[in-house]
Amino acid sequence: MRSLYSGVAGLKTHQTRMDVIGNNIANVNTTAYKSQSMTFSDLMYQTTQAASGANPTTGVGGVNARQIGLGSKTSAIKTAITSQGASQTTNDPFDIMITGGNFFVVSNGRENFFTRDGSFYVDGAGNLAMTSTGYNVMGWGVDEETGNIKQDTVTALRIMSTANLTYPPEATSKAYIAGILDKNDTDVTSTNGKAVNLNFYDKLGYSYTAKLIFKQSTDPNKYSLEFSKLLDSNGNEVEMTEEQKKAVFGGGIPQTQERATSVKLGDNYDWDANGNLLANNKILVYKNTGDNAALYPYRTSADQSTDPGALAKENEEAIAQIAKAYGYEGSVNEFLNLQIPVEVESTDGSTATKNFSIEDIIYSKDDAVKDITLADNPGASAESPGRTYYGYDVEFNGDNGEIASVGGNSTTFMAKLNLADLGEGFTNFSNIDMDLSQISMYDNKGTSTVGADKGDLDGLGTGRRLGDMIGVSVQNNGMIYASYDNGMTKLLGQIASASFANASGLERAGDNLYSATLNSGEFDGVGVDITANGGYMSTGQLEMSNVDLSSEFTEMITTQRGFQANSRIITVSDTLLEELTNLKR
């Protein structure tokens, strides 16, 4: 009874098909699961009579072979591996879905596996890994010299290494000043000038503020750009010598600005015949009768200290008192830079009037004024034709209001803060090239909008503080970038993908993993950029199972009916055998 064995073969085959359907339905919610389908084939045939050909001599025709089938068997179990599953939104940045036919490459440390399951996380060692198995996600690192991805043999992607958790600081190297400098602005025309603050960073990431000043000359189209002081992040003034302040702009070379100013003693102040400064007819500053006859130590009759340190401090206090007497309280440097006409005698005995700064006169910096004191000239008052300053002259075109020159250069309108050249205490700074080409001198109703900003017009050279990592993002090509709270981003690596000529030839290894086989093609160890094949990665999404329940239930019905029909074959065959055994009754 061959039909018995045919029925048994049919039952086994339909049972296998039911196993495939059951596995599909069981994995209907498995991430990136690829459904399987089974096909049947007839098992084999028993030939009871071979086929014969036609006989042309007798005219007898040919006879077909007589074959009896012996049932069915499993022909193939195919995986719909190239069928894309629907997307499921998770909003987790480390959940990644592949669109296309490629696979993620993961490793257990000994061998590589391939998966479409993009549910990843960062483990305790900082590696990107599968959440289900902990296998490391493989990719390419960054070339330290070029900063680009180096596509070489895939390695584990360690994105949370200590080096990646922070972004190093950088000193500001460029800046620009832009806006309107209105010549009728009262700040611009005042003695103190128009203040502009430049915020920048040193090499260690500390922030500083350089206070710069624009001062108008007698010609309203000409201005000076000067350095005032340097403040740290707490608003405290950084200690600098006067020589260092002068060297910040223009290399310490003094400039002269035409600026008519009255130098006049205030009410209740006067100089006596001995060169002492009087306040309300009382001596406020005593003249030093020592070798430095032009110095004005501030001392009382009860305190005749000769200690050099004390003398230097007394000099500062004395100069401050003298500046206050002339109306420059709090602006000592501006007072010292004022020029006044002094009548000096030349070597031939003739006399001529020359302009000297008050600083030259007080400290006898020029031999021509060595024996002249401020009490001698200007005395109570004088007209100052100008002032000495350290910085850049800035000139505008009076016809169109555009900038015409900076430091005498009418081509490139650049100035430089020479902070790095100041020596000890300033080695962490970089010199800052400042672009003044965007300044204009337009009528803005007496209000200036001029301001300074770090970096050039393209945003380069801004410098930065130390940055802490605040986020990680994955691009559609698998490149992983870290973002930092100092505004910077850093390329950490790229997730590699694997492509196979026959993806259906991959062998399932469980846990949503596949292994390469001879029929799928070997993995070359390098992988491919997913965008090379037109695919891409999407973050915050996972690929769902591609199981179609309606199709599976239909297949289940036909399988059930097939199984029932084969069972009937066995039942009927058994009845026939029973009739045969009953013949002897």
Side-chain angles (χ1 to χ4, degrees):
M1 300 295 290
R2 287 181 291 263
S3 60
L4 271 175
Y5 295 101
S6 294
V8 171
L11 287 176
K12 289 183 177 180
T13 306
H14 281 83
Q15 180 180 342
T16 302
R17 189 183 192 190
M18 193 61 199
D19 292 339
V20 173
I21 294 172
N23 185 54
N24 286 340
I25 296 175
N27 287 283
V28 68
N29 287 318
T30 299
T31 303
Y33 175 79
K34 301 301 181 181
S35 63
Q36 294 178 298
S37 61
M38 174 182 159
T39 57
F40 290 24
S41 66
D42 45 3
L43 185 58
M44 61 179 298
Y45 289 85
Q46 179 181 355
T47 302
T48 59
Q49 180 177 312
S52 62
N55 190 335
T57 304
T58 62
V60 177
V63 178
N64 292 331
R66 296 174 185 174
Q67 294 179 294
I68 300 174
L70 300 178
S72 64
K73 66 176 181 179
T74 301
S75 173
I77 299 177
K78 298 190 300 181
T79 301
I81 202 165
T82 58
S83 176
Q84 183 82 33
S87 63
Q88 176 185 1
T89 301
T90 65
N91 295 321
D92 187 329
F94 291 119
D95 283 345
I96 306 172
M97 185 183 81
I98 283 181
T99 298
N102 290 19
F103 295 80
F104 296 110
V105 183
V106 297
S107 175
N108 62 2
R110 298 184 303 274
E111 59 181 320
N112 292 324
F113 294 93
F114 312 96
T115 184
R116 298 275 297 189
D117 182 358
S119 178
F120 303 142
Y121 81 112
V122 178
D123 67 10
N127 296 313
L128 190 63
M130 290 185 69
T131 55
S132 58
T133 63
Y135 289 2
N136 289 327
V137 179
M138 308 298 280
W140 306 299
V142 179
D143 190 320
E144 295 183 358
E145 294 183 0
T146 64
N148 298 324
I149 293 296
K150 185 178 181 180
Q151 291 191 2
D152 203 341
T153 302
V154 294
T155 57
L157 289 172
R158 191 181 183 194
I159 61 176
M160 291 294 188
S161 65
T162 303
N164 292 335
L165 293 179
T166 58
Y167 201 98
E170 182 179 78
T172 301
S173 60
K174 296 181 183 297
Y176 67 90
I177 299 179
I180 299 172
L181 191 66
D182 193 326
K183 65 182 180 182
N184 295 320
D185 186 346
T186 54
D187 286 337
V188 173
T189 58
S190 69
T191 301
N192 293 327
K194 174 65 178 179
V196 175
N197 290 345
L198 172 63
N199 300 317
F200 63 96
Y201 297 102
D202 69 0
K203 295 177 182 179
L204 300 181
Y206 291 105
S207 61
Y208 293 87
T209 299
K211 299 189 76 67
L212 312 177
I213 298 175
F214 282 100
K215 291 186 178 181
Q216 191 181 65
S217 68
T218 303
D219 184 345
N221 296 327
K222 295 181 179 180
Y223 299 80
S224 64
L225 175 60
E226 306 168 37
F227 171 81
S228 174
K229 55 186 174 181
L230 185 65
L231 304 178
D232 62 20
S233 58
N234 296 320
N236 300 319
E237 184 173 356
V238 177
E239 185 175 345
M240 301 175 69
T241 66
E242 287 301 319
E243 293 305 316
Q244 286 177 323
K245 289 182 178 180
K246 294 174 182 178
V248 170
F249 261 153
I253 300 175
Q255 308 287 329
T256 300
Q257 182 185 45
E258 295 182 3
R259 186 182 176 101
T261 307
S262 294
V263 182
K264 183 178 180 181
L265 273 172
D267 295 339
N268 303 320
Y269 290 97
D270 201 0
W271 294 98
D272 66 11
N274 297 319
N276 302 315
L277 180 63
L278 306 179
N280 294 317
N281 295 320
K282 293 183 179 180
I283 297 178
L284 178 67
V285 178
Y286 285 87
K287 179 180 178 181
N288 189 336
T289 57
D291 295 334
N292 298 317
L295 295 180
Y296 294 85
Y298 180 75
R299 55 175 75 169
T300 64
S301 56
D303 179 17
Q304 298 293 328
S305 173
T306 57
D307 178 72
L311 188 65
K313 181 178 180 181
E314 291 167 351
N315 278 333
E316 290 180 5
E317 294 175 353
I319 298 302
Q321 291 289 348
I322 297 171
K324 178 181 179 180
Y326 281 91
Y328 283 84
E329 183 177 9
S331 301
V332 174
N333 289 333
E334 181 65 20
F335 173 70
L336 293 177
N337 289 334
L338 291 177
Q339 291 182 324
I340 57 175
V342 176
E343 192 174 89
V344 296
E345 183 177 348
S346 61
T347 55
D348 60 0
S350 61
T351 59
T353 300
K354 294 184 178 180
N355 295 326
F356 293 92
S357 70
I358 291 179
E359 182 181 20
D360 287 335
I361 294 173
I362 290 179
Y363 291 110
S364 299
K365 287 191 173 184
D366 193 294
D367 289 339
V369 294
K370 186 174 182 179
D371 297 325
I372 297 175
T373 69
L374 193 59
D376 300 326
N377 191 339
S381 64
E383 289 296 324
S384 171
R387 53 187 290 273
T388 300
Y389 72 95
Y390 294 84
Y392 290 88
D393 59 292
V394 179
E395 185 173 358
F396 292 90
N397 187 322
D399 295 329
N400 57 26
E402 296 179 355
I403 192 156
S405 68
V406 175
N409 191 323
S410 58
T411 305
T412 58
F413 309 109
M414 302 295 294
K416 177 179 284 190
L417 280 171
N418 299 307
L419 296 171
D421 299 334
L422 298 182
E424 185 177 355
F426 294 87
T427 55
N428 289 331
F429 292 89
S430 287
N431 291 334
I432 302 176
D433 294 322
M434 301 180 60
D435 183 357
L436 279 69
S437 63
Q438 303 301 307
I439 304 178
S440 56
M441 190 186 67
Y442 299 142
D443 179 15
N444 196 39
K445 308 303 181 184
T447 301
S448 296
T449 62
V450 64
D453 203 355
K454 55 184 176 293
D456 61 14
L457 297 175
D458 296 324
L460 302 176
T462 58
R464 56 183 176 268
R465 61 180 176 81
L466 179 69
D468 293 321
M469 184 186 292
I470 57 175
V472 176
S473 62
V474 182
Q475 308 299 309
N476 63 2
N477 58 0
M479 289 188 178
I480 305 173
Y481 285 89
S483 56
Y484 300 85
D485 60 6
N486 62 357
M488 300 303 294
T489 59
K490 182 179 181 181
L491 180 60
L492 305 181
Q494 183 176 7
I495 300 174
S497 68
S499 177
F500 297 92
N502 174 30
S504 297
L506 292 171
E507 182 180 280
R508 291 178 181 267
D511 294 320
N512 286 346
L513 302 174
Y514 298 88
S515 296
T517 66
L518 293 177
N519 198 36
S520 66
E522 293 294 328
F523 176 60
D524 63 2
V526 177
V528 295
D529 187 320
I530 191 170
T531 58
N533 297 330
Y536 58 91
M537 297 182 187
S538 303
T539 59
Q541 296 179 331
L542 289 176
E543 184 180 3
M544 299 175 66
S545 168
N546 66 354
V547 172
D548 183 352
L549 278 178
S550 62
S551 175
E552 296 301 322
F553 285 145
T554 302
E555 294 290 337
M556 189 188 302
I557 292 172
T558 58
T559 302
Q560 181 183 12
R561 294 308 180 196
F563 190 91
Q564 289 174 338
N566 279 274
S567 67
R568 293 297 181 268
I569 294 173
I570 298 174
T571 302
V572 172
S573 296
D574 178 59
T575 302
L576 292 175
L577 287 173
E578 183 180 0
E579 290 296 327
L580 180 61
T581 57
N582 288 336
L583 287 177
K584 76 173 200 173
R585 290 181 182 179

